[in-house]
Amino acid sequence: MILVLHAPTSPHMVVEFVRTASVARIARDLVIVITRPGGLAAQSGVPEAWKHAHKSGLAFSVLPELSDAIDLYKPSEIYIFSRNREWVDFKEVMIGSNTMLIFPSGEQPLGKEGVERARGVGFSEFSRDLGPVQSLSIALYIVMTKTSLIKNE
């Protein structure tokens, strides 16, 4: 699964995104991508996040644009955590090993590049979009729960 944090400017957000992914029991199956980091996120957040990813054995990359991540990883499905478009409940979608999940930072506008194929997802239990780290935590929990159910059948 490819997890993309798009356009962060906060170094703390970048580091927490990677730390959250690294503690999932499926971490070895994850690729973490940071696209269009800006300001302090690029200067201090990305190096700190890379260090944590490296120590945790996570695949980690930083790319200038979201479209670069899509071109490089060629995901089978793309989901974006955003209610600014038509969206479905994340629990209803099937997630494969080559699925890309995009978590907009909310700190910069999303733009149009690369998101034409993306389907909007969210969590019906919440009245609005959560932050990227919170959404990542819930999404990983849902994916791991589904994976456990499949393995136990």
Side-chain angles (χ1 to χ4, degrees):
M1 190 168 34
I2 306 146
L3 307 175
V4 179
L5 176 60
H6 180 64
T9 57
S10 164
H12 178 73
M13 182 183 294
V14 175
V15 172
E16 288 306 308
F17 191 85
V18 171
R19 283 187 177 151
T20 300
S22 72
V23 297
R25 73 167 188 268
I26 59 170
R28 70 181 183 285
D29 300 324
L30 302 176
V31 175
I32 307 299
V33 182
I34 310 297
T35 56
R36 202 193 312 154
L40 286 176
Q43 293 173 355
S44 63
V46 167
E48 184 66 27
W50 179 87
K51 184 170 68 174
H52 187 78
H54 182 70
K55 287 179 180 179
S56 302
L58 280 174
F60 181 81
S61 66
V62 180
L63 297 169
E65 293 298 333
L66 188 53
S67 57
D68 295 323
I70 293 168
D71 291 342
L72 181 65
Y73 292 103
K74 299 185 183 350
S76 56
E77 296 284 335
I78 305 171
Y79 297 102
I80 185 164
F81 283 83
S82 175
R83 291 189 181 190
N84 294 337
R85 53 177 55 213
E86 282 188 45
W87 64 278
V88 297
D89 194 321
F90 183 73
K91 291 187 300 290
E92 306 302 319
V93 300
M94 293 300 297
I95 302 298
S97 61
N98 198 34
T99 300
M100 179 177 280
L101 303 180
I102 301 169
F103 300 86
S105 69
E107 298 172 327
Q108 296 182 43
L110 186 57
K112 300 274 187 227
E113 85 287 335
V115 298
E116 302 83 22
R117 285 182 40 210
R119 290 180 58 200
V121 291
F123 304 109
S124 60
E125 294 83 3
F126 297 92
S127 60
R128 59 186 171 95
D129 283 334
L130 303 172
V133 176
Q134 294 84 355
S135 293
L136 173 64
S137 299
I138 296 169
L140 286 173
Y141 174 78
I142 290 169
V143 169
M144 289 186 296
T145 302
K146 284 182 180 181
T147 304
S148 293
L149 291 175
I150 291 168
K151 286 181 180 178
N152 290 334
E153 289 181 356

